[in-house]
Amino acid sequence: MNSIVSLKWLLARLYESDIVIVDCRFQLGKPESGREAYEASHIPGAVYLDLEKDLSAPIEEHGGRHPLPDIAQLTGTLSRVGISNETRVVAYDDQGGAMASRLWWLLKYLGHEEVYVLDEGFTAWQQASFPVNADQKVLIPAKFLATVQHNMLVEMDEVRENIGTGRVTLIDSRDGARYRGEVEPLDKAAGHIPGAINHLWSEGRGDDGKWKNADEQAARFEGLDKDRETIVYCGSGVTATPNVRALQEAGFSNVRLYAGSWSDWISYEGNPIAVGAEEAPEGK
């Protein structure tokens, strides 16, 4: 099922009572800028959830730069902003869909089906002359009950156990230069997990800024085995989530997120690091 909705789709349903719109704008290195942008102007009725305060746990020794939030705490946050198990959720950002996709993945992980990412994002919404305001929505709490989908997640030790076995396809969603170990602006070590191939998450969008359709996503991953377990990671588990979406829409049946990602992997002394490019494993 397609997880993307268009600007016009949301405009037509803007005031439907079972929809909660979530503003997920966030800039790495400028942690307050997303909330400030939301308070200045947002899609009418939208609530704001912060990547680091709401959609991540505090940083510890392991778990990466954006550890998954505590489930009970996240469930409470979702309930507080009016998201129930029956709510249709539409998430947007201005970062190409990466932050909105983090919320999409978290809700799917908690067993919530009706969650979508808004195509193109907030700037495109504004440029289309669709309504915006700075009003703060009066929050009416709802009751959200999580049914955790543990099969969507993979931990570091399982990734390590699969290295060199040929049992899984490991996809690194970061920029090619970071994947190859040529540069590393955020983490203390450069390179990638051995055996990983590189598919930059943002290549899931076309030149027009819209997400590619299912056939176009399938073309990105042509040659990979759709039935083999596919593990996706990035720097901290955020920009990997658009690739999880894209792979599922392309027909891959077993896609899991390594949420700690590269920043978690290198927090364990002795984990192997590879540099340069690697060949994609052959599909069926």
Side-chain angles (χ1 to χ4, degrees), residues 37-189:
Y38 166 79
E39 291 176 350
S41 182
H42 52 257
I43 295 175
V47 299
Y48 183 74
L49 291 180
D50 184 281
L51 171 67
E52 294 185 344
K53 295 175 182 176
D54 299 312
L55 307 182
S56 304
I59 296 174
E60 298 182 354
E61 181 183 2
H62 302 300
R65 284 184 281 106
H66 293 110
L68 290 185
D70 175 77
I71 289 172
Q73 188 172 355
L74 177 59
T75 299
T77 297
L78 296 171
S79 299
R80 175 178 56 81
V81 300
I83 295 174
S84 73
N85 296 78
E86 288 74 42
T87 305
R88 287 182 292 168
V89 179
V90 179
Y92 72 88
D93 59 35
D94 237 354
Q95 284 70 48
M99 310 302 164
S101 293
R102 167 76 164 207
L103 177 60
W104 170 87
W105 187 91
L106 285 169
L107 280 164
K108 291 285 189 179
Y109 178 60
L110 298 184
H112 191 79
E113 285 301 316
E114 292 280 314
V115 54
Y116 306 94
V117 172
L118 182 65
D119 210 359
E120 301 179 84
F122 182 71
T123 295
W125 177 275
Q126 277 187 309
Q127 290 174 345
S129 298
F130 291 169
V132 298
N133 62 36
D135 298 344
Q136 300 292 313
K137 182 179 181 179
V138 176
L139 298 179
I140 302 174
K143 188 172 184 178
F144 182 84
L145 298 175
T147 306
V148 179
Q149 309 297 304
H150 296 286
N151 61 321
M152 290 177 56
L153 185 65
V154 62
E155 302 290 349
M156 184 281 297
D157 53 356
E158 191 174 347
V159 176
R160 185 166 57 192
E161 289 167 7
N162 275 294
I163 288 177
T165 65
R167 291 193 298 258
V168 304
T169 300
L170 188 59
I171 293 179
D172 186 314
S173 305
R174 298 172 299 164
D175 174 82
R178 289 181 70 195
Y179 161 78
R180 293 187 297 272
E182 298 163 4
V183 298
E184 184 43 68
L186 297 172
D187 295 309
K188 62 183 181 180

Side-chain angles (χ1 to χ4, degrees), residues 23 51 55 81 93 109 128 182 189 199 205 232 234-235 238 258 260 281:
D23 188 318
L51 171 67
L55 307 182
V81 300
D93 59 35
Y109 178 60
E182 298 163 4
H199 282 283
R205 302 196 319 271
V232 189
C234 56
V238 177
Y258 173 24

